Amino acid sequence: MVGIVIVSHSEKLAEGVVELAKQMTAGKGVVIRGAGGLEDGSLGTSFEKILNAINEAYSEDGLLILMDLGSAIMTTQMCIESLPEDMRAKIKLCNAPLVEGAVAAAAAAAQGLSLDEVKKQAENVPLIKVQEESVEVMEAPRGENVASVDVQLVNPTGLHARPASLFVQLASKFKSKVMVQNISAKKPPADAKSIMDMAVNGTAEKGEWIRITAEGEDAQEAVMVLKELVESGFGELEEDEVKVVVKEEAALSEKGVFRGTGVYPGYVVAPAFVYRREEVKVSASIKGTPEEELKKLEEAIEASIKEVEELKDKLSREGDPKVALIFDFHAMVLKDEKMLNEAKSLINRGLSAGEAISKVLEEWARKLEEQGTDLMKGRASDLRDMARRVLKALEGRKTDGVSVEGKVVLIADELLPSEAASLDRNTIAGIAVSRGGTTSHAAILARMWGIPSVVGLGPGILDIPQGTLVALDAADGKLIVNPSANEIELLERKQRELEVAEEELKGKAMEPALTVDGHRVEVVANVGNIDSVAETIEYGAEGIGLLRTEFLFVDRDEMPSEEEQYQAYKRVAEIMGKRPVVIRTLDVGGDKPLAYVPMEREDNPFLGVRAIRLQRLYPELLKTQIKAILRAGIYGNLKLMLPMVANLEEVRWVKTIVDECKEELKAKGVEFASNIEMGIMVEIPSAALMSDLLAKEVDFFSIGTNDLTQYALACDRGNKNLAYLFDSMDPAVLRLIKLTVDGAHAHGKWVGVCGEMAGEKEAIPVLIGLGVDELSMNAKLIPAAKALIRRISYEELKLLAQDALRLGTAKEVRELVIKRCGL
Amino acid sequence: MAITKADVIKFLERAADLLRQNRDYLTQLDSAIGDADHGINMDRGFTKIMASLDSVKDKDIGSILKACSMALVSSVGGAAGPLYGTAFMYAAKVLDKKEEITPEELYQALRSALEGIQARGKAVEGEKTMVDAIAPALRAFEEKLQAGASLKEILQAAVQAAEEGVKNTIPMKATKGRASYLGERSIGHQDPGATSSYLLFKAMLDVVEEKGG
C-alpha cells in the first residue's frame, strides 16, 4: 500500500492532518507520517524530520508527500535528492491542498490503488466552495431590436472618470436603451446613459470584461460603436497616470503635531489660513406648486451648467486642461436625466426644488462613497459641490471661490473642485487637508501644481486659529502648530537640501548625452498637451521629438480654428525657444471619432482611413493645421511631421498642400516661417522598405515603433492572446529600423525613434547601435536614459546591433543586451 | 592570490559573527514581510555550522562546504535552509577535493551556488529575493575578475553591488516566498534574504582584507 507523508511548518498541523487522514483508512494499514516543525518544536521545516518520516512511511508500492508552504517543498526536494535512486523513483510530491489532498490520498491508498492513481485522486479532490452572494449576470438577450456584446477594457484607467464620461456621451446619442454590466466583477447592470449610475455600478478596471446590451431600433449600431470605443482604449493619450497613494490612517495629534500622509513633498513654514465654507441653506419654507418647483429647478440647473462651462473654458484657456476635465464631469451630471427624474419624483411628492436636488445628489454621493471604486469615491465631493452650486443658483446667486492673501498654508476639511479651481497657486505655499482620499482634488491639484501638501490630518486642524504660524513637513506627513525655532530651522534646512538635490539631479539631465566614446545622441520628449511642455525642459529634454496634436481636436464639437491652433503652437514654440519641436499632424481615425468629421464605420480602423489618409479626404483639416504651424514657426524651431505615410505619392501630395498654404498666407500678407523642415513617421513597413527613396523627399524620419511593430507582425497590441507576439525588439522590427536608418543616412537625413521603445533601457543600446540619431520619450524617462547613454560605448553598440540583427527572437535580443550592457 | 582552506574556515567564522550581530536586524526586516524568523534561523544555521566544523576541518574545501550544507538544511527551518543549503551544496561540487582555490574557481563556485538557488527557488532577478543581491554581486565579480583585479578589489566590487542589490529590493513587489502573500504591501520593505546574502559577501571581503590583500 502507498505510504503518505505530510510536511508542514507546524508540528500540530502535521499531526492534525495525519489524524484526519487516518480516519479514511479504516485500519487498512496505510502508513501516514507527519513531519511538522523543527526539532525544538518551533515553526519551520526540518530536513531530518522529513527524512525520518519518509523512511518510516515508504513502501515498495510507493510514497506520496503532501506539503504546506514554500520551504516545505524545497526541504522535501532536498531530502529526496539525498535518497538512493531506486527509492527516489517511487516517491512523488503532490500538488494537492494539504487537508483535502491528504484525506483523498488516504482513502485512495486504503483501496490499494497505485501511486500514480493515489496522487491523481489527491490532486483532483474537489475543493469546498463557499457560495458567495453575487449579482446575477444579465443574460445576453435575444430577439429583434436587441443586441449585446462582451468587451474587455484595455486602457490603463479602465471605465472610470473620463472614459466613463465618453461612454455616457456616446451612449446618449442612440435612441436605444443601453445597459452596461461589469461581468468580471459581477456588478449590477448600470444605465449607460446615466453618468451617476455608471459611476456607482458601471465602473470596471483594465482587463475586466463588460457586457453592453442595447434595446431599440438602433441597438446593433449602438453596441458596435460602444464596443469600438472601449476597444480603442477611449483614445487615451499615452500619458502616464501617476497615482497618489494615500494611507488611510487615523490622524494622531500629539502636542500640536498632526499626522497625515504627504502627497507632494516639501517643507513650508507660513501662517495658517483656515478655510471655512459658507453654509448654503436649503429653503423649504417658500414652496410653490410641483410644476413651479420643477421649473425653478430646471432653470437653476440650466444656470449651473452655464457657470460650469464658463469655468471650464476659463481653465482651458489658462492652460489647466486637466482641471478643466473635472468640470466636464460636473456638466455631465447636471445634464443626467436620471438625476432630474429622481428629483422630479421627489418634487411631485411635495419637496421643494432645493430639497429635492440636495437629497438626490447627497444620496448619489453616499452611494459613491460606499460602493464606488477608489477613483470614484473622490467624485462624491464633486456631487456635493454641484448641490451647492444648484442651491445657490436657486437663490439667484453665483458660486465664488476661495480668496487668500499673502503666502499661507491653506487648511481645509477638503477642497471642492470649484474652490480648488479658484485657488491662486502663487499664494498657497502649502495645503493641509483634514480628510484623506486617494483621488481627492486637493491631492491631485497639489501634485499637478507642485505644492507641498498633506492630507488625512484629521478634523482637529480646522480648530487652528487663523494666522497661527504652522510648519508643514510634507515629506513626513506632519503639520506642526507653533513650531519651535529649532523645528523651523530644521525644516528650512531640509527644504534647502531638497532644492539642492533636485537641482543636482536635473542639472545632470540638462547636459547633453554622450556615450563614453563621445557619440552624441539627442534625447527629446514626447508630449501630448501644452501643459507638459515646460516641464520637459526640467527633465532635460533637448527638444520635443513628438508633439501629438490630438488634444486640440478631440472631445469637442467643431474643428479648432487656424487661429486657435496657431496660438497653441506659438506657445509651445515660445516655451521651447531654440529647441526643436516636431509637430505631428492630426493622427485619428475610426477608433477616435471626431464629432465634426464624418467617418464611415470601418471593420478595421487601423487599416482604414486614419491620420494622413483622413486628411486626404478632408484637405481643409490638414491645410488649417499646416498654416497654423507655418505661422507659429517664426517664434521657434518648429518642424512638421506626417503620420502614417505609406508611400511616396502621399508625401508629394502633402508637399503641394504645403506650397498652397504658403501661397495663401503670402497672398493674405501673413507672416510665416518659409523654411520649416518636413519629416514623416515611419510606422508602416512599406515606408521602412522605401526609406531610401522617401529620404530624398523629406528632411527627417521618426520611427513610431509601436505601430511599426503592430503592422510588421500583424498583431494588435491590445489583444491579450497575442501578447507573445508584440515586442518591438523583434529582429524583424529591428531590421526595418536598420533599413530606415540606412535609407536616411545615405541622403544625409536624420532618424529619430518616438515609440515607447525609445525610453526602454533594453532597447536604447540597440537603437543607438543601429544608428538612430534621436530618441524621443516620456520626459520623466529622460534623466535615466541619459545616464544609461553616458555609460555605454558607441563602437560596442554598433557590434551589439549587428549581432542583434542576426538573432532569431526578441527574447534572444533582450538577453544579449542585458548581458553585453550589464543591465 | 590563492584562497586556502584556512581562509574558508575564517570566512565561515566571520559569517557566523556577522549573522549573529545582525540577527535582530534580519528578523526585524523579516517581520515586515515574512514570518519574522530569518535572523534567528540564519544564526541557528551558522551556529550549527560552527559546531560541525571540528569534524571536517581537515578535509578538502568541497567536503567542508558540503558539511555546511547539511548543517543548514537540518537546522535553519525556513526557506533559507534549503536555499542556502543548496547553494553550499552546488559550490561544494565545483570545489570537490580542492585544498586551495583561485579567484576564478571561487567565481565558478559562487556561480554554481546561484544556479542552485535559482533551480531550487525558481526565482529570477526582480522578485525581491536573495537572487537580487547575489546576481549583481557576481556580475561585478566577473567584470573585475576579467579586468585582472586583485581578489580584494573583486570582492569590494561584489560587496558594493550586493549592497546596491539589497537596496533595490525595497521598491520591488515580492512574487516568491512568504512575502508574496503580501502582494503590493511587500513594496517598500527591504528583503531579508537579499540582506543575509550581502552579509555573506561582506564576510568574504572581511577575511581577504584582514589577510591584507
Side-chain angles (χ1 to χ4, degrees):
Chain A
M1 247 174 267
V2 172
I4 298 170
V5 167
I6 308 295
V7 179
S8 166
H9 280 61
S10 152
E11 191 171 357
K12 287 181 197 153
L13 179 60
E15 279 172 12
V17 173
V18 169
E19 209 176 328
L20 275 170
K22 275 188 177 161
Q23 281 190 314
M24 307 302 292
T25 61
K28 294 260 170 57
V30 178
V31 185
I32 307 177
R33 288 287 179 270
L38 301 181
E39 303 296 336
D40 60 4
S42 58
L43 293 178
T45 47
S46 154
F47 185 83
E48 272 131 17
K49 273 196 165 190
I50 299 171
L51 203 57
N52 286 340
I54 290 175
N55 281 322
E56 282 177 35
Y58 181 81
S59 84
E60 285 304 309
D61 291 330
L63 176 76
L64 188 70
I65 307 180
L66 291 101
M67 299 135 300
D68 62 358
L69 298 164
S71 74
I73 301 166
M74 292 192 285
T75 311
T76 305
Q77 283 170 339
M78 289 203 76
C79 283
I80 293 171
E81 283 163 21
S82 75
L83 293 171
E85 189 77 47
D86 57 324
M87 256 180 106
R88 258 190 277 171
K90 287 182 191 164
I91 299 178
K92 288 219 145 71
L93 301 188
C94 178
N95 269 323
L98 195 64
V99 177
E100 293 93 332
V103 170
Q111 291 165 42
L113 298 178
S114 70
L115 176 60
D116 282 338
E117 194 55 36
V118 173
K119 177 170 185 268
K120 201 170 125 200
Q121 298 234 345
E123 287 178 347
N124 293 338
V125 65
L127 288 179
I128 305 169
K129 290 236 166 64
V130 181
Q131 208 65 39
E132 271 185 51
E133 262 185 79
S134 69
V135 177
E136 289 272 315
V137 172
M138 56 185 182
E139 275 287 305
R142 280 166 227 278
E144 252 180 76
N145 287 344
V146 177
S148 173
V149 69
D150 293 349
V151 58
Q152 189 181 27
L153 274 299
V154 294
N155 59 312
T157 339
L159 192 51
H160 295 278
R162 193 183 86 95
S165 308
L166 283 177
F167 196 91
V168 173
Q169 275 174 13
L170 203 53
S172 304
K173 293 196 170 136
F174 294 93
K175 295 199 181 87
S176 298
K177 178 176 163 92
V178 186
M179 300 293 288
V180 170
Q181 183 170 24
N182 180 335
I183 49 181
S184 299
K186 295 207 171 62
K187 290 187 183 168
D191 181 350
K193 294 183 182 179
S194 162
I195 182 70
M196 290 201 285
D197 206 11
M198 287 292 290
V200 174
N201 296 317
T203 56
E205 307 300 324
K206 181 180 179 186
E208 288 185 334
W209 287 81
I210 56 169
R211 173 164 300 163
I212 306 170
T213 314
E215 204 176 337
E217 52 185 283
D218 51 5
Q220 287 291 349
E221 207 193 337
V223 162
M224 286 314 294
V225 169
L226 290 168
K227 175 177 176 251
E228 277 176 19
L229 177 70
V230 175
E231 284 177 340
S232 74
F234 299 92
E236 276 187 4
L237 303 173
E238 307 142 37
E239 303 261 332
D240 302 312
E241 294 270 335
V242 187
K243 254 201 169 173
V244 184
V245 182
V246 178
K247 281 179 278 171
E248 301 256 352
E249 276 174 10
L252 278 177
S253 112
E254 32 164 279
K255 289 185 289 175
V257 178
F258 294 92
R259 287 185 178 278
T261 307
V263 289
Y264 191 87
Y267 309 88
V268 179
V269 181
F273 175 83
V274 184
Y275 173 67
R276 292 192 182 85
R277 195 164 292 115
E278 181 198 346
E279 283 289 319
V280 180
K281 294 251 163 46
V282 180
S283 64
S285 51
I286 325 146
K287 207 182 307 177
T289 64
E291 289 72 30
E292 286 166 358
E293 287 299 309
L294 183 61
K295 188 157 174 285
K296 262 169 47 187
L297 181 60
E298 281 172 344
E299 282 169 6
I301 289 178
E302 199 63 31
S304 301
I305 293 175
K306 219 175 127 221
E307 274 180 39
V308 164
E309 293 196 326
E310 279 168 7
L311 198 52
K312 205 181 95 183
D313 289 348
K314 174 177 161 266
L315 286 163
S316 304
R317 277 198 309 278
E318 287 169 0
D320 261 335
K322 281 187 192 155
V323 188
L325 280 180
I326 297 171
F327 292 98
D328 260 348
F329 175 76
H330 284 205
M332 285 191 69
V333 173
L334 290 169
K335 290 175 188 166
D336 191 331
E337 284 192 12
K338 196 163 175 155
M339 175 196 81
L340 190 62
N341 286 338
E342 284 183 17
K344 216 187 267 181
S345 73
L346 288 177
I347 289 174
N348 284 331
R349 279 167 31 205
L351 267 60
S352 73
E355 287 168 332
I357 192 68
S358 39
K359 196 161 179 212
V360 171
L361 285 173
E362 182 55 38
E363 183 99 331
W364 281 103
R366 247 201 24 246
K367 273 193 208 161
L368 275 182
E369 278 172 345
E370 282 166 10
Q371 302 163 26
T373 54
D374 280 354
L375 210 58
M376 280 318 218
K377 275 179 188 158
R379 298 292 88 82
S381 68
D382 293 70
L383 296 186
R384 299 200 171 100
D385 192 13
M386 257 175 283
R388 291 170 51 82
R389 187 179 294 280
V390 178
L391 287 175
K392 282 197 165 181
L394 277 168
E395 296 174 5
R397 289 194 289 154
K398 280 200 152 200
T399 300
D400 3 87
V402 187
S403 62
V404 173
E405 277 174 27
K407 282 259 176 201
V408 295
V409 171
L410 179 70
I411 297 180
D413 61 342
E414 63 177 337
L415 283 178
L416 295 178
S418 329
E419 296 158 358
S422 68
L423 286 179
D424 178 356
R425 69 185 90 162
N426 295 318
T427 67
I428 309 293
I431 300 178
V433 175
S434 68
R435 300 196 194 179
T438 51
T439 55
S440 73
H441 292 295
I444 293 171
L445 280 169
R447 281 195 58 91
M448 218 151 61
W449 289 348
I451 300 177
S453 302
V454 182
V455 301
L457 287 159
I461 58 168
L462 301 172
D463 298 329
I464 297 171
Q466 211 65 272
T468 312
L469 192 67
V470 292
L472 190 69
D473 177 348
D476 201 22
K478 268 197 309 199
L479 180 73
I480 307 167
V481 182
N482 285 319
S484 66
N486 278 345
E487 281 168 326
I488 294 175
E489 200 199 292
L490 181 70
L491 289 197
E492 283 174 348
R493 202 185 64 226
K494 281 187 176 175
Q495 177 63 22
R496 279 196 302 276
E497 284 169 6
L498 188 72
E499 282 163 11
V500 170
E502 276 176 3
E503 284 315 303
E504 252 174 43
L505 193 73
K506 284 183 185 160
K508 267 203 179 142
M510 292 303 151
E511 293 161 22
L514 299 171
T515 59
V516 288
D517 45 357
H519 174 74
R520 166 93 186 258
V521 182
E522 246 182 272
V523 184
V524 294
N526 292 346
V527 173
N529 63 53
I530 294 200
D531 241 19
S532 22
V533 170
E535 69 180 33
T536 62
I537 300 177
E538 290 171 36
Y539 284 110
E542 294 157 37
I544 292 177
L546 170 64
L547 177 72
R548 303 186 183 95
T549 52
E550 289 72 61
F551 72 97
L552 287 165
F553 292 83
V554 297
D555 289 344
R556 53 190 292 161
D557 296 328
E558 55 191 26
M559 188 177 101
S561 66
E562 182 189 312
E563 184 63 22
E564 181 184 344
Q565 293 191 48
Y566 160 70
Q567 291 296 345
Y569 306 143
K570 180 178 163 209
R571 266 191 60 205
V572 178
E574 285 172 343
I575 295 170
M576 297 304 289
K578 286 188 185 137
R579 299 178 185 85
V581 176
V582 178
I583 302 183
R584 182 179 71 185
T585 60
L586 183 61
D587 183 11
V588 296
D591 58 314
K592 290 181 208 165
L594 299 176
Y596 44 90
V597 182
M599 289 183 211
E600 277 176 42
R601 225 187 56 72
E602 295 172 316
D603 285 336
N604 212 333
F606 282 94
L607 301 181
V609 179
R610 55 180 304 123
I612 198 75
R613 303 167 178 192
L614 181 75
Q615 290 153 354
R616 256 186 96 106
L617 278 183
Y618 304 102
E620 269 317 301
L621 266 179
L622 184 63
K623 283 182 80 173
T624 313
Q625 191 166 23
I626 289 180
K627 281 192 247 173
I629 295 171
L630 290 172
R631 285 174 58 196
I634 53 183
Y635 298 94
N637 182 4
L638 301 186
K639 298 173 199 294
L640 177 70
M641 179 161 72
L642 310 171
M644 280 283 284
V645 169
N647 68 14
L648 267 170
E649 202 269 325
E650 284 171 330
V651 176
R652 290 179 182 149
W653 174 75
V654 175
K655 284 174 131 179
T656 64
I657 294 286
V658 172
D659 289 341
E660 272 176 40
C661 288
K662 287 180 179 171
E663 287 304 316
E664 284 175 28
L665 290 173
K666 218 179 276 173
K668 276 206 264 174
V670 183
E671 242 192 313
F672 66 92
S674 54
N675 53 351
I676 280 192
E677 286 187 11
M678 187 177 94
I680 59 168
M681 292 278 290
V682 175
E683 48 194 337
I684 301 180
S686 63
L689 295 166
M690 297 292 285
S691 60
D692 53 337
L693 296 183
L694 284 164
K696 290 189 198 161
E697 303 278 340
V698 299
D699 299 304
F700 62 91
F701 292 149
S702 184
I703 307 177
T705 48
N706 298 349
D707 277 338
L708 185 62
T709 307
Q710 181 154 277
Y711 291 127
L713 298 170
C715 146
D716 176 353
R717 67 189 297 223
N719 188 328
K720 68 171 173 7
N721 296 319
L722 300 180
Y724 76 97
L725 267 180
F726 190 93
D727 189 335
S728 297
M729 294 283 261
D730 194 291
V733 180
L734 300 183
R735 288 178 184 209
L736 288 171
I737 296 175
K738 167 93 164 85
L739 267 178
T740 310
V741 172
D742 291 350
H745 287 180
H747 298 280
K749 308 293 165 70
W750 60 269
V751 181
V753 170
C754 63
E756 260 163 48
M757 205 181 175
E760 236 187 275
K761 68 172 184 200
E762 283 166 23
I764 290 172
V766 181
L767 292 175
I768 296 176
L770 287 170
V772 168
D773 306 286
E774 175 229 52
L775 297 171
S776 189
M777 63 193 75
N778 180 320
K780 297 190 179 84
L781 301 175
I782 290 176
K786 285 193 169 180
L788 171 61
I789 293 168
R790 290 187 187 117
R791 67 178 183 79
I792 48 192
S793 138
Y794 181 50
E795 287 308 314
E796 280 170 28
L797 296 186
K798 284 200 267 189
L799 299 174
L800 169 77
Q802 274 174 23
D803 292 342
L805 288 171
R806 284 192 216 107
L807 292 175
T809 66
K811 190 165 169 261
E812 287 167 15
V813 175
R814 287 185 185 274
E815 281 167 3
L816 178 77
V817 180
I818 291 171
K819 197 168 154 234
R820 292 269 192 91
C821 301
L823 296 175
Chain B
M1 179 192 73
I3 301 156
T4 63
K5 197 156 73 181
D7 293 335
V8 173
I9 304 272
K10 271 194 204 134
F11 153 68
L12 293 168
E13 287 166 346
R14 179 63 190 147
D17 276 343
L18 277 177
L19 288 165
R20 168 145 303 165
Q21 285 162 24
N22 287 284
R23 185 176 69 174
D24 293 344
Y25 173 56
L26 290 173
T27 294
Q28 183 201 331
L29 290 175
D30 198 24
S31 67
I33 54 169
D35 40 8
D37 62 11
H38 191 58
I40 299 163
N41 284 347
M42 291 303 288
D43 182 29
R44 183 166 51 217
F46 273 75
T47 306
K48 181 89 180 269
I49 288 180
M50 289 299 108
S52 54
L53 272 186
D54 262 343
S55 57
V56 291
K57 67 180 176 201
D58 298 318
K59 298 198 181 151
D60 64 276
I61 294 176
S63 301
I64 294 173
L65 296 182
K66 191 152 177 252
C68 292
S69 165
M70 291 318 293
L72 289 172
V73 291
S74 61
S75 66
V76 169
L83 288 170
Y84 280 124
T86 306
F88 275 88
M89 183 72 78
Y90 275 58
K93 270 192 239 164
V94 176
L95 304 179
D96 194 20
K97 308 241 163 35
K98 299 263 191 233
E99 292 293 330
E100 59 177 31
I101 57 178
T102 63
E104 168 66 30
E105 285 169 322
L106 174 59
Y107 173 70
Q108 292 309 336
L110 290 169
R111 193 81 241 167
S112 172
L114 175 60
E115 277 163 23
I117 289 173
Q118 294 192 289
R120 179 76 60 210
K122 310 273 181 287
V124 295
E125 271 184 86
E127 294 189 287
K128 206 179 185 89
T129 69
M130 46 181 80
V131 174
D132 293 308
I134 302 172
L138 292 191
R139 279 196 292 272
F141 198 118
E142 185 187 27
E143 193 182 308
K144 289 283 172 190
L145 185 67
Q146 284 178 354
S150 73
L151 183 58
K152 185 172 148 190
E153 287 165 340
I154 290 172
L155 286 171
Q156 277 168 342
V159 166
Q160 196 191 345
E163 193 171 10
E164 277 167 22
V166 168
K167 293 261 158 56
N168 290 339
T169 63
I170 296 174
M172 288 178 189
K173 178 175 146 187
T175 52
K176 286 283 179 320
R178 196 71 66 91
S180 66
Y181 295 93
L182 293 174
E184 300 286 345
R185 279 173 293 143
S186 63
I187 293 171
H189 299 282
Q190 182 175 319
D191 181 60
T195 312
S196 61
S197 294
Y198 152 73
L199 289 174
L200 295 185
F201 277 99
K202 180 83 174 38
M204 285 180 232
L205 175 62
D206 286 354
V207 171
V208 172
E209 279 182 337
E210 191 189 335
K211 205 176 164 188

